Amino acid sequence: MRNKYAVRLDNVTKIYRMGRGSVKALDSVSLSFLTGDFVSIMGPSGSGKSTLLNIIGCLDIPTSGEVYIAGENVSKLGEKERTKIRRDKIGFVFQHFNLIPTLTALENIAFPMLLRGEHRYEERSRELLRAVGLDEELGEHKPAELSGGEQQRVAIARALANDPEIILADEPTGNLDTKTSMEIMELLAALNRRGKTVVVVTHDPLVAEFTKRTLRMLDGRILTDITDITDRITAAR
Amino acid sequence: MAESSQTSRTSQTESPQHADICVEMRAVFLRFAIRNLARHKLRSSLAVVGIVIGVLAISSLGIFGNSIKLSFSEAFSAVGNELVIYPRSESMISEKILREVERAAGAGSDVIPLRQKYVRINDVRINGRVAFYGLRCEDIPLLVDIERGRAPKRSASECLIGAKLASDHDMKVGNRMHAETYELRITGILKERGIGFDINPDEAVIIDMKTFERMFNISKYNYLIVRVDSIENVEKVKESIEKRLNKREEKVSVLDLRRLMETFEEAFAKISVFLLGIGAISLVVAGVSILNVMTMSVVERTKEIGIMRAIGTSRIGVMCMFLYESLLLGLAGSAIGGVLSFGGGFLILSFWMQKTSYLLAPSSILCIIFGISFGIATSVLSGLYPAWRASMLSPIDALKYE
């Protein structure tokens, strides 16, 4: 049975040491994302949204407070366990696509599966390639030979490789034109409709429009938290 | 679209989670390593060249040292069963002591008395000092081989000359030689024998004992060579001689050539180690170049490492990938170096030893194997630090790296 909450943060504070002083990137943040939620996080640079995403993504640990991912408290986990959670429970999508340049599109998609020891990686990579709307022949290309939109689709396919519960996207449309941005958001929305919890950090209000819930952050705190009622109703149905 | 994320759920839940890095992953890391090395062909090849030189140096010098040792033991294996007896209480060995040594040595051993003197020769061909050995006629074939001519007759004014003496001064069988007031006829030329502890006949003149006595008026002996029937009995004969002659007073000292050879072998082993050390230095330099290449590679690929770590690659996985790269460099360099070592060894041997058959001696092959394994080990060790550094990168910082 799946957890009610995909993500839960309880009084999370993150302080970065900067030389002699320190910066409070997150200031006692408490929040929870339901399983199947579609959340956008907005806010100016330095508001703490990237830090929040890193902590949810188990790339970073909070200075204080508790973080639960799919019901598991990850705030005290060691590097090894957090690596496993990143591999199995979380799919990352980055602004700069961040595909591995020496690997082909298909190999990039297969990579997380290989890390896990999944033997059916080849056929599953092809499935995923098709699922994100790419032609199979593109699978043999290196990232540099693909357009930005195509690269981001490959990145999304890679994020889905180990069928994670949560997709974390950091400015996924930041390097794409408007039309491609909309296509990528449509793809993420489709994933959400299929039950994935999707969290998108963005500057772009148009991107935020796609999500059910929008958090606005400032100075390490959550300023507003607005849920689109109509979407909620659809989701409940 | 996105249909597959549902359909494949079942397959992934039962996928194995046991090992940190599965076999497929290793294969991927290996392929990865090859591609990354191919990305910088020149840089990778230079690193390989470094290892090639290192392995080549260590193997060739190893072969050289080993061959010196081999040629030495070959030259002296013939005298392994000899004892040399020098006078101790007096300056020469008397007839009486000779008899006692003969008795102590027993029937199985030949006791060969020798007289030796440096004689000034003032001749048409030679002008200088030459070593003269006085040997009993019957002992001559025991110690030397005659290449041309025959041995001198008893008491005759005849002599044998060493191969080098003959070739250096263009002397032939039948020529005459003036030593002090005597005139000697050369009846034979010896086969080249090499340096020995007992006698060095290559640049010497050998005459009959009686002739020697007549020419130089010496009736005692400078030293004795005891040739024991077998190596196993050398120790026994030595003890017996010492017991008999040195009981009350140290009349003679007995030199065991085998012992001497052991000392020399130890010295040669040290030379070998020294030569290997020189080779090892070049390999260390090669290791530093791999360290350099790998460190550069880690810095350049920081972002890539960040991505890999973010999507769930373990620290060990990252380390493994970089170690594969240095392992591949090491394997390539060592293999090439190993093959070239045969050539290198051949050149060294043909230049310095004039004998290349040592190249295929088991101990020489061992040197090459040693060089190869040392090359691989150096590469992996040099890759260890950069790989460790790569694995310790924080994924967040690495992702930010541009």
Side-chain angles (χ1 to χ4, degrees), chain A residues 22-77:
Chain A
S22 57
V23 174
K24 209 177 240 183
L26 287 181
D27 189 359
S28 310
V29 171
S30 294
L31 59 78
S32 49
F33 299 156
L34 287 165
T35 298
D37 217 343
F38 193 5
V39 186
S40 56
I41 303 172
M42 298 186 74
S45 306
S47 58
K49 50 191 200 305
S50 286
T51 306
L52 183 64
L53 205 70
N54 286 342
I55 283 179
I56 295 171
C58 289
L59 284 167
D60 210 346
I61 46 170
T63 310
S64 67
E66 311 292 324
V67 180
Y68 298 87
I69 300 297
E72 188 178 353
N73 187 344
V74 298
S75 35
K76 303 281 185 295
L77 290 182

Side-chain angles (χ1 to χ4, degrees), chain B residues 148-165:
Chain B
R148 279 192 299 274
R150 58 164 178 85
K153 292 207 174 86
R154 211 172 146 90
S155 281
S157 296
E158 293 173 338
C159 70
L160 286 167
I161 59 168
K164 203 156 183 303
L165 193 70

Side-chain angles (χ1 to χ4, degrees), chain B residues 139-156:
Chain B
D139 291 338
I140 290 175
L142 291 178
L143 283 184
V144 292
D145 295 322
I146 297 166
E147 173 124 17
R148 279 192 299 274
R150 58 164 178 85
K153 292 207 174 86
R154 211 172 146 90
S155 281

Side-chain angles (χ1 to χ4, degrees), chain A residues 130-161:
Chain A
R130 280 196 300 275
V132 296
L134 290 175
D135 286 339
E136 201 147 322
E137 69 206 40
L138 288 176
E140 306 302 331
H141 288 262
K142 294 275 171 70
E145 297 154 4
L146 301 174
S147 73
E150 287 165 342
Q151 285 192 55
Q152 197 61 302
R153 281 172 194 270
V154 173
I156 291 171
R158 177 180 68 184
L160 291 170

